[in-house]
Amino acid sequence: MVRPLRKILFLLIGAVLLPFIIFMVLKANTLNEDEKLLDDIYERQLSAILFSINQYSDDHVSNIVRSIEENLHEFLTNDGLQNYQSIQTAYFIHLRNTEKPQEQYWHSFSEIHKTRWNPLLDSIFDKNPTLINRLISYKKNSFSKLEPLGNIVLDQREHSLLVFILEENGNYWQCIMAFQPVLLIESALAPKMQEVAREDFVVLVRKKSNQDIIFTTEDVTNDELNAKPLWLLPDYEIAISPIGNSIKDTIKRRENTNLISLLFVCVVMTLGFYFVYINVRKEMTLAQNKADFVSNVSHEIKTPLSLISMFAETLLLGRVTTEEKKRDYYSIIQQETARLSRIVGRILDFSQVDANKKAYNLVLTNLNNVIERVTETYSFHLQNKGFEYEVRTCKKLPQINGDEEALVEALINLLDNAIKYSTDTKKVVLFSGQDGDTVHIGVTDFGIGIDPKKKRQIFEKFYRISENDVHDTKGVGLGLSLVQNIVDAHKGEVSVESTPGEGSTFKLIFPVFKKMTDGQDTNS
């Protein structure tokens, strides 16, 4: 039976479990890929929002520069920066004509010490000839570009420098604009950031060096920020995060939920696979037991029939001359007939039980009467087998609601097993007793005992302890199964106490019959 079970196990693994595991792995990979794609799309969307803010800041300053360029003459002759409120943080614009390097112009809202700024700005132009030439080349090709030059600290204030090229009537002007970045962020970028953020995002600007927040649309509750540098302010960065849980948290929760669901399905499938395997093994064991049952029944029936036929033929042919010998032969025929009758009766009882057609006639019954009937009808068989028996009954035993014939059959089955599995000590004890609201009868033998691991199996249909050679011990494996069914029908239970090599005690426990107050009778 081991090989068929292995085949079935491998078949189940190959046909059911393995494909399912492969499917779960592929599904998990697909989910991971989908979540990664979703994460990438969301990251690109956040980056697009930051790009739009950067683009807005660039466009804002570019529009101012374009306006200055379109009105350059007026700007050069007047303090033109007064017209640009959004760039009110600028202190001045320093212009140097590439054709006339000595010609310089200054514009400022407040009095600036030119003696301090002029050398600094000239040094910037002198130290960045490649940058200036590239910007002029862009301008000649009708492309205006703003180039940040970093930050400086003068007059105890931080200034961000922006270099660009202006053109008027073929003349090119190298220009530098200095402004306070914090005021530019608050005056120009803050409204745009509020517009973008609404109630969905937190948008903020912070300084890279120390992570100080310059402006934020909401209090930051999430550490996972998508950040990009500000184009015009390289020392600052703009960051964005969804309000509440981040998309990564959401994806992580979804991934965990999916993995837990897949794991749950795997566990359910594994349990289902296990139960299928257990049931198949049980059915195969039952099939093997049925095959053994057929073999045992054939052997059990054939033996008494052969003896009956042989002794009957001997008597019929007149080969027995003495009366004593005839009585012995008649006794053997009678014993084997009774034995055959018990076998057939047991099989018939089992067929009725198996088909749920067994009916029990429940009436008031005293278990001591059951023991008395069994000893009267079975004492000869016990003595013939060389067994000594002892009866220990409890006087004044309460009655139960039971079928006496079925209970006699159950006790005889227990005695049969005691005889079969006894060795040198040929003794059995029949007993009855009471424990509170229950009464019991049982049989104690001093035979081979029962392995504790097999206590539950012995009540299964067709099961027999003698596994190596089913013919060593007579029986068909139905006795204890019938006993269990009879006890269950009486709302009782079977108790087994056994020590291998020392013997076993089987106790049938039943509820005491009690009379209900409304006149109905019942077991307690």
Side-chain angles (χ1 to χ4, degrees):
M1 187 177 67
V2 175
R3 287 186 178 179
L5 276 175
R6 287 180 178 174
K7 288 183 179 179
I8 291 173
L9 178 62
F10 292 143
L11 179 64
L12 287 174
I13 292 175
V16 180
L17 196 58
L18 186 59
F20 177 76
I21 292 175
I22 294 174
F23 170 76
M24 289 294 103
V25 172
L26 294 177
K27 189 68 174 176
N29 289 336
T30 302
L31 289 174
N32 290 335
E33 292 174 0
D34 292 343
E35 288 157 0
K36 185 177 183 300
L37 178 61
L38 179 62
D39 191 24
D40 291 342
I41 292 173
Y42 192 78
E43 289 293 333
R44 287 197 292 269
Q45 289 178 336
L46 294 183
S47 297
I49 294 174
L50 298 182
F51 178 86
S52 69
I53 297 175
N54 253 327
Q55 187 67 55
Y56 173 82
S57 64
D58 190 88
D59 291 344
H60 179 77
V61 178
S62 295
N63 288 335
I64 294 174
V65 172
R66 191 178 301 111
S67 178
I68 293 173
E69 186 176 37
E70 291 173 355
N71 302 280
L72 186 59
H73 179 73
E74 180 183 352
F75 180 80
L76 294 175
T77 57
N78 300 290
D79 195 359
L81 285 179
Q82 292 179 349
N83 298 323
Y84 306 105
Q85 297 300 317
S86 61
I87 199 73
Q88 60 183 328
T89 56
Y91 289 117
F92 48 78
I93 293 182
H94 177 84
L95 300 100
R96 187 169 64 171
N97 194 315
T98 55
E99 302 296 331
K100 302 175 181 180
Q102 73 283 358
E103 186 176 0
Q104 299 181 6
Y105 297 87
W106 294 83
H107 290 266
S108 172
F109 285 154
S110 59
E111 186 64 28
I112 301 298
H113 300 292
K114 295 182 181 180
T115 55
R116 297 183 60 195
W117 280 93
N118 191 54
L120 174 64
L121 299 179
D122 284 340
S123 67
I124 290 174
F125 287 124
D126 295 338
K127 292 179 181 179
N128 296 277
T130 303
L131 173 62
I132 300 301
N133 290 333
R134 186 171 70 251
L135 293 176
I136 293 174
S137 176
Y138 290 156
K139 191 64 179 178
K140 288 180 178 180
N141 288 283
S142 302
F143 175 65
S144 297
K145 181 172 177 57
L146 307 175
E147 190 71 35
L149 293 177
N151 295 340
I152 62 172
V153 177
L154 283 177
D155 300 330
Q156 297 181 345
R157 294 181 180 179
E158 183 183 41
H159 305 273
S160 292
L161 301 181
L162 193 67
V163 62
F164 53 93
I165 303 297
L166 297 179
E167 187 267 337
E168 182 193 36
N169 299 324
N171 294 322
Y172 295 93
W173 301 84
Q174 303 167 5
C175 306
I176 289 180
M177 182 182 291
F179 53 88
Q180 291 185 22
V182 173
L183 294 179
L184 176 64
I185 291 168
E186 292 177 347
S187 62
L189 293 186
K192 180 64 175 179
M193 292 164 60
Q194 292 283 9
E195 177 187 345
V196 169
R198 297 182 182 179
E199 296 180 355
D200 301 321
F201 300 98
V202 175
V203 183
L204 60 88
V205 178
R206 62 191 178 190
K207 196 166 186 179
K208 286 184 179 180
S209 58
N210 54 20
Q211 297 293 299
D212 284 346
I213 296 177
I214 307 303
F215 176 81
T216 179
T217 58
E218 296 281 350
D219 291 335
V220 181
T221 59
N222 196 325
D223 294 334
E224 295 184 6
L225 296 171
N226 188 313
K228 299 289 182 183
L230 275 169
W231 296 344
L232 299 181
L233 303 172
D235 293 336
Y236 294 82
E237 63 181 3
I238 185 169
I240 188 171
S241 173
I243 292 178
N245 293 324
S246 68
I247 187 65
K248 290 184 178 180
D249 292 335
T250 304
I251 291 175
K252 190 65 177 177
R253 285 201 309 272
R254 179 188 169 194
E255 181 181 356
N256 291 337
T257 301
N258 290 334
L259 289 177
I260 291 173
S261 299
L262 290 177
L263 180 61
F264 175 75
V265 173
C266 286
V267 170
V268 171
M269 285 291 294
T270 303
L271 289 175
F273 170 80
Y274 172 76
F275 286 124
V276 168
Y277 173 74
I278 292 298
N279 287 331
V280 169
R281 186 177 69 176
K282 185 176 181 180
E283 289 300 320
M284 292 190 68
T285 302
L286 183 60
Q288 182 64 46
N289 289 340
K290 283 183 177 181
D292 294 340
F293 167 74
V294 172
S295 175
N296 292 336
V297 167
S298 300
H299 178 76
E300 288 290 309
I301 292 178
K302 184 177 180 181
T303 300
L305 284 177
S306 298
L307 291 174
I308 292 170
S309 176
M310 181 182 67
F311 286 107
E313 183 180 358
T314 302
L315 291 170
L316 184 62
L317 294 176
R319 296 176 180 174
V320 182
T321 56
T322 65
E323 290 297 324
E324 184 179 355
K325 199 69 171 177
K326 287 181 180 181
R327 282 194 300 272
D328 290 341
Y329 280 19
Y330 288 140
S331 176
I332 292 173
I333 291 173
Q334 189 272 336
Q335 292 176 25
E336 294 302 322
T337 302
R339 175 183 167 191
L340 183 60
S341 178
R342 285 196 301 272
I343 294 172
V344 173
R346 197 166 294 169
I347 293 172
L348 292 176
D349 285 343
F350 172 75
S351 65
Q352 289 182 329
V353 169
D354 202 40
N356 293 322
K357 294 181 179 180
K358 180 68 175 178
Y360 295 96
N361 182 26
L362 302 179
V363 295
L364 289 179
T365 304
N366 191 304
L367 294 181
N368 286 339
N369 295 339
V370 174
I371 293 178
E372 184 178 350
R373 284 188 55 183
V374 170
T375 54
E376 287 178 358
T377 59
Y378 214 71
S379 59
F380 176 79
H381 184 67
L382 287 169
Q383 294 171 359
N384 191 54
K385 292 289 185 179
F387 274 81
E388 174 188 351
Y389 71 92
E390 181 181 349
V391 177
R392 302 173 185 172
T393 57
C394 174
K395 296 180 180 180
K396 296 183 180 180
L397 196 65
Q399 292 179 315
I400 69 167
N401 199 25
D403 185 327
E404 189 169 310
E405 295 297 331
L407 295 173
V408 168
E409 180 65 23
L411 197 56
I412 289 176
N413 283 331
L414 294 181
L415 279 174
D416 273 341
N417 277 354
I419 293 171
K420 291 173 188 176
Y421 297 105
S422 291
T423 53
D424 297 333
T425 305
K426 294 180 178 294
K427 180 181 179 179
V428 293
V429 178
L430 289 81
F431 59 88
S432 66
Q434 180 179 6
D435 294 311
D437 291 335
T438 63
V439 292
H440 59 264
I441 56 173
V443 175
T444 298
D445 65 63
F446 303 90
I448 63 174
I450 302 170
D451 187 337
K453 297 179 181 178
K454 298 179 179 179
K455 280 187 178 181
R456 299 183 66 180
Q457 292 177 271
I458 59 177
F459 294 97
E460 295 177 2
K461 293 181 290 187
F462 312 119
Y463 181 80
R464 299 174 70 231
I465 292 179
S466 54
E467 296 175 347
N468 296 328
D469 186 354
V470 296
H471 299 300
D472 289 346
T473 303
K474 295 180 180 181
V476 294
L478 297 179
L480 290 180
S481 177
L482 289 172
V483 169
Q484 183 68 67
N485 183 268
I486 292 170
V487 173
D488 290 342
H490 288 74
K491 299 180 181 179
E493 60 178 309
V494 182
S495 169
V496 182
E497 297 178 4
S498 182
T499 302
E502 296 183 10
S504 305
T505 296
F506 284 80
K507 185 188 294 185
L508 311 183
I509 305 170
F510 305 97
V512 172
F513 172 82
K514 287 185 177 180
K515 195 174 186 68
M516 298 290 287
T517 56
D518 59 0
Q520 294 181 348
D521 297 335
T522 184
N523 286 346
S524 63

